[in-house]
Amino acid sequence: MTRVLVVDDEPGLRQSLGLLLADAGYQVTAEGDGAKALERALAESFDLVLCDVRMPDMDGTAFLRAYRARGGTALVIMMSAYGGEESALAAMKEGAYDYIPKPFRPDEVILTLRKAEEREQLGNTIATLKAQLDTRPGSRALVVESQGMRQALEVVARVATHPTTVLITGDRGTGKEVIAQAIHRASPRAAGPFVAVNCAAIPDTLLESELFGYAKGAFTGATADRPGLFEQAAGGTLLLDEIGELPLPLQAKLLRVLQESEIRRVGDQKTRRVDVRLLAATARDLAADAAAGRFRHDLFDRLNVVAIHLPPLTERREDIAPLARHFAARLGSRLGRAVMLSDSAIAWLREQPWPGNVRALEHAIERAAVLSDKEILEPVDFGKGPLPSPVSPGERGEGRGTLRDVVERAEREAITAALRGAGGNRREAAKRLGVSLRTLFYKIDRYGLE
């Protein structure tokens, strides 16, 4: 059932529209105050908004402008009395889908809403196809067999055409960057650059200049002006991966960029306008971090306009078989020989715990293919036991395997314990382990712990 919000200061019109639309099968909510309607439209999920142009306090154009600026995605249809066509047309320039002149006939209202629904469905279908279509060599698969991924793709299709900030959450290795790329492909910015940066992989002292750039002479070694990633992503999309690792002082500067669409290079006095669609991704619970003071509440609210959560691979086992076949086919093109999976291998892969999610599945198939000359991989090619995962206390030592096996088991256990003790913060985990952040990233990737 399509949800419709009616915004009009005339009680009689709200009532008559409510009855008319309810009889036509719509679920109707009505508000007589523009400001209250705006908060409700952003707090709840609506498919269509019918809004009067002329209202006291906040008129229809102001409502529409604020609704779009704060990430509203419903189609907005304006209503105007005779003589108000110019205002209605001005509202359409602000992003309204259509307008209906007052007084209107009942069938005219229903027809306009039906047309809007058809247009939205068509747009979502096109956006879904664009999101899934990626013919570049080495492209990663966007598999949507499971219900959880279908729901994620539906949100991708809805938000892609809007400039809304999107927060993508999920365990490490679930495909957050793949979803970000899908949003970019389905957006009007698809022809522009897609730039991704892992905030945890860059030292705090360099992160600001990496994001915003720097001016000549800003610090030792700054021999020329250098644009940052925001400027490099102009006209396109910037993904801030692992945004939960962003230092607090830099969070305040990022918030200003989001609010003002301006950046200032390190060591420069002037500001520069930037036209960038921002996406953020994290494996952390930012709401909990904000409550604990580790992440700014205002930045979290600004990022969390639309959230897409990716379930772990263990909760989307329908995706394992098509993902595995995709990875095998892509790997075959890289190795210059056919790589396929037997039915028993697929069945075996579906039963594994996959602590590293999709990335671990991809690495396991590559490992098996590289270490075997077979065209069709069998379960034995992946090893007789479960795939690498954090070891249990009962598996420690006991002289099993080579010295290298024992060392690797100990490393996996130590890294897992350090990450758990640091609450997932990899910088802190690296300090506890006494290794560089780069070394920790390498080990995490090698052991499939993400």
Side-chain angles (χ1 to χ4, degrees):
M1 183 180 293
T2 302
R3 293 199 67 197
V4 181
L5 175 64
V6 176
V7 187
D8 198 295
D9 60 323
E10 297 180 30
L13 189 138
R14 293 199 304 272
Q15 183 178 17
S16 61
L17 268 178
L19 293 172
L20 171 65
L21 297 178
D23 287 343
Y26 293 96
Q27 184 179 344
V28 186
T29 301
E31 286 287 350
D33 178 85
K36 290 182 180 178
L38 175 63
E39 296 305 318
R40 188 159 191 176
L42 294 169
E44 301 178 30
S45 177
F46 292 97
D47 302 291
L48 297 166
V49 177
L50 274 172
C51 182
D52 190 24
V53 171
R54 297 187 180 277
M55 295 185 294
D57 299 326
M58 175 178 279
D59 64 20
T61 304
F63 168 90
L64 175 62
R65 189 178 294 119
Y67 179 62
R68 289 287 182 243
R70 293 174 61 180
T73 59
L75 291 182
V76 179
I77 298 172
M78 308 304 294
M79 300 179 291
S80 64
Y82 286 128
E85 286 85 354
E86 289 186 6
S87 298
L89 290 173
M92 290 180 69
K93 292 180 181 179
E94 295 284 346
Y97 168 70
D98 203 348
Y99 83 94
I100 307 172
K102 293 181 181 179
F104 39 70
R105 302 187 307 275
D107 59 345
E108 184 179 10
V109 177
I110 301 301
L111 179 61
T112 302
L113 265 62
R114 298 291 190 221
K115 284 170 55 183
E117 286 181 278
E118 291 175 2
R119 182 250 197 183
E120 182 75 350
Q121 290 170 0
L122 178 60
N124 286 348
T125 300
I126 293 172
T128 300
L129 292 172
K130 285 182 177 179
Q132 290 182 278
L133 181 63
D134 190 357
T135 57
R136 295 172 302 169
S139 63
R140 297 178 66 185
L142 181 60
V143 173
V144 290
E145 294 293 328
S146 64
Q147 183 61 29
M149 289 304 293
R150 288 183 185 277
Q151 291 173 352
L153 189 57
E154 287 176 5
V155 180
V156 167
R158 288 184 67 93
V159 304
T161 56
H162 302 284
T164 310
T165 302
V166 180
L167 179 63
I168 308 168
T169 62
D171 294 345
R172 294 183 178 90
T174 49
K176 297 185 288 295
E177 185 171 342
V178 177
I179 288 294
Q181 290 171 345
I183 293 173
H184 174 71
R185 287 196 300 272
S187 75
R189 296 174 174 267
F194 176 84
V195 178
V197 57
N198 188 323
C199 299
I202 302 174
D204 295 356
T205 53
L206 300 179
L207 193 51
E208 182 178 358
S209 60
E210 188 72 17
L211 291 176
F212 306 134
Y214 55 80
K216 180 180 179 180
F219 48 81
T220 302
T223 57
D225 291 350
R226 181 181 183 276
L229 295 177
F230 270 92
E231 290 180 79
Q232 293 175 34
T237 304
L238 175 63
L239 169 65
L240 297 183
D241 198 3
E242 298 296 354
I243 196 168
E245 307 290 343
L246 208 63
L248 280 169
L250 202 51
Q251 291 178 24
K253 295 182 179 181
L254 176 60
L255 179 64
R256 178 171 177 79
V257 174
L258 292 174
Q259 292 172 337
E260 307 296 336
S261 296
E262 292 179 345
I263 60 101
R264 178 178 293 171
R265 293 178 179 178
V266 176
D268 201 352
Q269 296 301 313
K270 69 176 182 178
T271 58
R272 302 166 188 267
R273 298 287 296 175
V274 287
D275 174 26
V276 174
R277 201 265 180 84
L278 185 74
L279 306 176
T282 182
R284 298 175 64 89
D285 184 347
L286 287 192
D289 285 351
R294 294 187 295 268
F295 201 85
R296 292 181 62 104
H297 274 285
D298 46 7
L299 179 58
F300 173 66
D301 291 339
R302 186 65 181 79
L303 294 171
N304 196 37
V305 177
V306 175
I308 299 177
H309 180 71
L310 304 185
L313 197 53
T314 52
E315 296 178 12
R316 41 182 283 217
R317 293 194 178 274
E318 304 95 318
D319 295 334
I320 292 177
L323 273 170
R325 292 191 178 98
H326 168 82
F327 292 143
R330 192 179 70 179
L331 185 60
S333 65
R334 282 172 47 198
L335 297 179
R337 62 180 176 85
V339 177
M340 292 180 285
L341 300 163
S342 69
D343 291 342
S344 56
I346 291 291
W348 186 82
L349 291 171
R350 284 175 60 93
E351 295 303 316
Q352 300 310 303
W354 299 117
N357 294 293
V358 179
R359 188 180 294 123
L361 171 65
E362 182 179 9
H363 290 172
I365 293 170
E366 181 172 359
R367 207 162 36 238
V370 169
L371 297 177
S372 171
D373 294 328
K374 295 179 181 178
E375 182 176 315
I376 301 177
L377 300 176
E378 300 288 349
V380 68
D381 298 311
F382 293 90
K384 295 181 179 179
L387 293 173
S389 61
V391 284
S392 63
E395 293 178 311
R396 298 174 186 172
E398 300 181 9
R400 291 182 297 173
T402 65
L403 177 61
R404 180 177 179 180
D405 292 335
V406 174
V407 171
E408 288 184 349
R409 281 199 297 269
E411 278 193 339
R412 284 198 299 270
E413 183 180 38
I415 293 170
T416 301
L419 287 169
R420 188 184 302 115
N425 187 313
R426 285 179 281 183
R427 279 198 177 87
E428 177 61 28
K431 290 179 182 177
R432 294 186 180 204
L433 292 167
V435 299
S436 69
L437 188 61
R438 184 181 297 275
T439 298
L440 180 60
F441 269 106
Y442 169 76
K443 297 289 187 182
I444 288 173
D445 184 64
R446 178 182 176 186
Y447 296 136
L449 297 179
E450 291 190 297

